[in-house]
Amino acid sequence: MVMKNNLNIVVLAAGQGKRMKSALPKVLHPIAGSPMLHRVLDTARALQPSAICVVYGHGGEQVRAHTTDETLLWAKQEPQLGTGHAVQQALPHLSADGVALVLYGDVPLISANTLAALVAAARADKLAWLTMTVANVDAAGGLGRILRDQKNHVQAIVEHKDATEAQRQIKEINTGFLACPSTWLAGWLPKLKNTNAQGEYYLTDILAMAVAEGRVVETLSPAAEWEVTGINSKDQLALLERTYQLEIAKRLMTDGTSLADPARIDVRGTLTCGNGTISDVAIDVNCIFEGKVHLAPNVKIGANCVLKDCNIGENTEILPFSSIDGAIIGKGARIGPYARIRPSSTLADNTHIGNFVEVKASDIGVGSKANHLSYIGDTTIGANVNVGAGTITCNYDGANKHRTIIEDNVHIGSVVQLVAPVTIGKGATIGAGTTVWKDAPGEALTLNRKEQTTLTNWQRPTKLKSKQE
Ligand code: UD1
Ligand code: CA
């Protein structure tokens, strides 16, 4: 591997996560749409390290199978004897002359900026430790406490379970993140003892070792508490999800997007709005954005829409309860309410897709409309086409899918079936109720002749009398 900056990152992900009560390993539970471990790895990659080593153990094969990055190094920890023991398993992968940074797979939202500050301190030959002061003692419950001397110099970390009542009153806690020259870790870790309340080899004990050796210890705090919030249970996961979603909502509003209620939006991926200068995008309540979504200036999204991997053009309006997945939609379009746009669809400017219309793998030309109750699948529609209510493209013969081509200025009446493969020529009109199974020529009316009969002596059935009556 090319040595970029000799930074080696160790990600601890071997713990079981008992309190999640789940078959899925803890680090694979998603926050804002991606597994916690993937978020930590993305942040790690942002620091452009020369290597990232994941310490895995519990549910290990599942963790590895979910993580496709070929450049990752893996260190198995079996059995799991504590955080110090975990980092020790990664030691053979760390380059001796580099800086090591330890991250936690269950603390998903740590930012690259905060970590960069830790690494910078470690490069200056310091043991850099991330701490935080939490105002209420409840929040510190279960966490390691930072012990300082009279001069406010860090002395050690004591784990909650090992702490005295007096130590438990300390409000400064260990967030778990640290960085230092790798050789120091190689010296300290083998000396760890597990004579403590949990019978584990605590990584945190190296702090006292560093102090005893006279090393300079620098402590830093993150910009926001949520960056260092760890997840041990479903309720903590849900709480952090809401906190993070609110952060995303604030960022969107700062960039000029209007949210009907910042507490009722979910971004499970990346949502970008506007053109960098103005947004004027407005999003109503209960919308979910997945994957990569871009909304151009002045797009309006109605309530209860789900948008995934799509690009919506300027001035387009998505009306309530619509689902859009894998589509590019042009300017000035009107989609929904209750529209479903499926992958590989391109809707040009000024298109209208109305209620209960499903569009799949289709291209719809400028100004074309399908306003009511239709299925448009594997279809190419030209410009200024009107598709009548209830029209269905019959794209599947039971074995293969076939395409329907509808050229410019076609008018299709209501409840038409287009049996693909079939082409409707430019300017054609298709009569209501027609089953089109042969190509229909342009500039002409195509219909199926049907007879309309009236039976005057026919009687509408009446309800049979039941026996009891
Ligand atoms: C740890 C710290 C504590 C800190 C807290 C912050 C220690 C001893 N304690 O406690 O000071 O306040 O984090 O969240 O380090 N893991 C392994 N192998 C193991 C044990 C753990 O890989 O043998 C991994 C877990 O998967 C997890 C991380 O290390 O990602 C932290 O382990 P956890 O048991 O949750 O430590 P805490 O009790 O939270
Ligand atoms: Ca934890």
Side-chain angles (χ1 to χ4, degrees):
M1 175 173 284
V2 188
M3 285 297 169
K4 288 181 208 157
N5 52 15
N6 229 356
L7 170 64
N8 292 185
I9 298 183
V10 179
V11 180
L12 302 189
Q16 181 178 1
K18 272 192 214 121
R19 282 168 282 174
M20 296 300 272
K21 306 246 165 64
S22 170
L24 190 68
K26 176 164 79 173
V27 293
L28 295 182
H29 283 264
I31 186 143
S34 24
M36 291 196 265
L37 178 61
H38 292 190
R39 289 200 167 270
V40 173
L41 291 175
D42 284 346
T43 307
R45 277 186 283 263
L47 296 168
Q48 300 192 299
S50 41
I52 300 174
C53 178
V54 182
V55 181
Y56 73 110
H58 190 87
E61 296 320 311
Q62 223 179 326
V63 172
R64 287 189 71 155
H66 264 77
T67 312
T68 49
D69 183 348
E70 300 276 318
T71 65
L72 290 179
L73 304 171
W74 295 88
K76 193 163 192 172
Q77 187 199 18
E78 191 113 74
Q80 290 104 43
L81 302 178
T83 49
H85 178 255
V87 175
Q88 215 176 345
Q89 310 313 303
L91 274 184
H93 292 296
L94 308 185
S95 63
D97 55 347
V99 160
L101 169 67
V102 178
L103 311 183
Y104 289 59
D106 64 350
V107 186
L109 300 180
I110 187 70
S111 76
N113 278 347
T114 298
L115 294 177
L118 267 192
V119 172
R123 286 204 192 290
D125 252 12
K126 291 172 188 162
L127 172 63
W129 212 289
L130 200 63
T131 73
M132 188 186 52
T133 304
V134 287
N136 70 60
V137 179
D138 279 355
L143 298 171
R145 306 298 204 286
I146 309 288
L147 307 185
R148 292 181 185 265
D149 66 11
Q150 303 291 327
K151 292 184 189 147
N152 210 31
H153 292 150
V154 183
Q155 294 301 296
I157 294 173
V158 59
E159 288 304 300
H160 181 86
K161 286 188 180 147
D162 300 288
T164 62
E165 258 323 301
Q167 287 168 332
R168 286 181 183 179
Q169 302 310 310
I170 295 172
K171 292 180 169 64
E172 185 182 12
I173 58 100
N174 170 35
T175 68
F177 298 89
L178 72 102
C180 68
S182 301
T183 46
W184 298 5
L185 286 181
W188 295 325
L189 292 175
K191 291 194 233 155
L192 288 176
K193 302 245 166 14
N194 66 349
T195 46
N196 51 52
Q198 302 186 75
E200 289 184 1
Y201 296 93
Y202 292 162
L203 178 62
T204 43
D205 284 349
I206 68 170
L207 186 47
M209 293 181 184
V211 171
E213 282 179 17
R215 300 277 183 205
V216 181
V217 180
E218 179 151 344
T219 57
L220 302 163
S221 294
E225 185 178 332
W226 51 263
E227 279 193 43
V228 293
T229 302
I231 301 302
N232 297 312
S233 58
K234 295 271 169 72
D235 62 319
Q236 290 173 345
L237 182 62
L239 264 175
L240 187 60
E241 175 83 32
R242 285 333 310 159
T243 305
Y244 189 49
Q245 290 299 341
L246 207 52
E247 284 302 313
I248 297 172
K250 280 184 207 155
R251 262 180 255 160
L252 289 168
M253 293 186 290
T254 304
D255 291 343
T257 294
S258 304
L259 302 179
D261 182 354
R264 282 185 288 169
I265 176 171
D266 284 85
V267 180
R268 300 174 188 160
T270 41
L271 170 62
T272 52
C273 296
N275 59 13
T277 314
I278 59 149
S279 171
D280 290 327
V281 167
I283 301 172
D284 209 334
V285 297
N286 296 333
C287 291
I288 300 175
F289 299 89
E290 295 176 42
K292 232 178 146 176
V293 175
H294 176 68
L295 309 177
N298 205 36
V299 164
K300 309 290 176 219
I301 309 288
N304 302 298
C305 288
V306 180
L307 274 70
K308 181 178 178 190
D309 294 319
C310 59
N311 207 317
I312 313 288
E314 240 175 285
N315 303 324
T316 286
E317 197 171 355
I318 312 291
L319 295 156
F321 297 99
S322 293
S323 160
I324 300 175
D325 179 2
I328 297 171
I329 299 177
K331 299 176 187 169
R334 205 183 67 216
I335 313 294
Y338 297 99
R340 181 177 182 206
I341 316 292
R342 292 171 53 197
S344 304
S345 296
T346 307
L347 280 55
D349 296 350
N350 303 318
T351 45
H352 288 182
I353 300 296
N355 39 237
F356 308 108
V357 175
E358 176 180 350
V359 177
K360 187 214 82 174
S362 295
D363 297 322
I364 301 184
V366 176
S368 289
K369 297 174 183 153
N371 273 327
H372 328 269
L373 302 153
S374 271
Y375 173 59
I376 298 171
D378 303 303
T379 300
T380 304
I381 297 182
N384 301 315
V385 169
N386 191 80
V387 177
T391 291
I392 304 289
T393 55
C394 312
N395 61 330
Y396 187 47
D397 61 14
N400 297 297
K401 301 269 169 73
H402 302 282
R403 280 200 88 76
T404 298
I405 314 267
I406 302 171
E407 296 179 350
D408 295 349
N409 298 317
V410 165
H411 180 91
I412 296 180
S414 297
V415 201
V416 166
Q417 296 123 57
L418 300 158
V419 184
V422 73
T423 298
I424 313 296
K426 193 171 171 178
T429 301
I430 309 295
T434 300
T435 303
V436 184
W437 67 87
K438 291 185 292 195
D439 289 354
E443 311 299 346
L445 172 67
T446 296
L447 43 78
N448 301 145
R449 280 253 176 262
K450 290 174 193 170
E451 245 174 52
Q452 179 163 321
T453 324
T454 304
L455 305 176
T456 48
N457 56 356
W458 176 83
Q459 285 214 322
R460 189 186 289 175
T462 50
K463 201 164 185 150
L464 292 172
K465 289 221 159 78
S466 74
K467 280 177 190 151
Q468 274 105 351
E469 281 176 42

